[in-house]
Amino acid sequence: CYAPKIFVWCRRFHLQESDASDVTQEVLVKLVGAMQSFVYDPARGSFRGCLKTITTNAVRDLGRTWQRNGRAVGDANLSQLLESLEDPEAVRVLEDVIEGAHQQQILQEAATQVALRVQPHTWKAYQLTAVEQRPAAQVARELQMRISEVYVAKSRVMKMLRETIALLEGC
C-alpha cells in the first residue's frame, strides 16, 4: 500500500525511476525490520512518523553514497536533493502522501470489517448510493427494496464505518 506512495515521493526529488525503485525497496526492507520490534507508543510518535523518517533517511543515505562516488542525481545535482530533504514543504508533501495512504488503508480495513457484519443487500445498497452515488429510488428498484430501507441501510453502514474507523485509529 505504501510502496507506490514512497516511489512517487522519490520521483518528486528527480530521482531516476531505477533509483526511486531502489530507495522504495530499501525503505520497505527497513520497514519490515522496524515492524518486528515496533510497539506503538504515543509518546514516541506514530507509524506514519516512523515511515517518514525511514524514507527520508533512505534518500539521504542514497545521496551520501552518490556523494562518495561523485554521481549526480538525474536532472538535479546532489546538493539540490539534499537541500530538498530539509525543505519543510517537501517534508509536508511526504507526510501528506503517507497520511493519505494510511487513511485509505484504514477505510479499506473498516469497509472489509463492516461488510462482513451486515447483510449483503444492506452492503449493496450502501455501495450503490454512497460510493456510486446512484439515486435511492433507482437502487430500491434494482435491489427490490423500499426507498426508506435503502436510506436506512446507507445510514446504518455509514455509522458502522465511522465507529470502526474510530476503533482502528484508537480513538
Side-chain angles (χ1 to χ4, degrees):
C1 179
Y2 291 106
K5 307 291 185 186
I6 295 167
F7 179 83
V8 167
W9 186 78
C10 291
R11 291 289 287 161
R12 287 186 180 152
F13 290 106
H14 307 287
L15 293 179
Q16 295 173 0
E17 191 168 322
S18 61
D19 295 325
S21 292
D22 290 346
V23 170
T24 301
Q25 196 75 355
E26 184 178 336
V27 168
L28 294 175
V29 167
K30 287 181 179 182
L31 189 58
V32 167
M35 289 303 294
Q36 292 174 2
S37 62
F38 182 80
V39 176
Y40 178 70
D41 178 2
R44 291 187 62 209
S46 67
F47 169 75
R48 295 179 301 266
C50 177
L51 181 59
K52 179 187 83 162
T53 300
I54 291 171
T55 302
T56 302
N57 288 339
V59 174
R60 279 192 184 117
D61 291 347
L62 180 65
R64 288 184 194 113
T65 300
W66 288 344
Q67 194 172 31
R68 284 192 300 273
N69 297 336
R71 178 176 171 195
V73 183
D75 298 330
N77 63 37
L78 180 60
S79 62
Q80 286 175 317
L81 173 66
L82 295 176
E83 284 174 20
S84 67
L85 290 172
E86 302 305 323
D87 178 10
E89 178 62 19
V91 173
R92 189 195 61 72
V93 167
L94 175 60
E95 289 170 348
D96 289 349
V97 165
I98 291 170
E99 181 63 27
H102 175 72
Q103 292 299 321
Q104 186 64 32
Q105 186 176 8
I106 292 281
L107 179 59
Q108 288 174 345
E109 178 61 27
T112 299
Q113 289 183 23
V114 171
L116 293 172
R117 292 173 32 211
V118 299
Q119 295 294 321
H121 68 278
T122 300
W123 182 255
K124 186 71 172 173
Y126 159 77
Q127 283 282 28
L128 294 174
T129 55
V131 177
E132 294 184 19
Q133 306 263 323
R134 292 176 44 192
Q138 178 186 6
V139 172
R141 279 191 306 275
E142 184 176 326
L143 299 179
Q144 298 178 348
M145 298 171 70
R146 291 184 298 224
I147 292 176
S148 62
E149 292 173 325
V150 171
Y151 285 119
V152 168
K154 177 183 173 184
S155 178
R156 183 180 307 143
V157 170
M158 289 178 71
K159 180 181 181 209
M160 292 173 76
L161 284 170
R162 283 191 297 275
E163 291 168 351
T164 304
I165 288 169
L167 286 172
L168 291 171
E169 290 182 332
C171 296

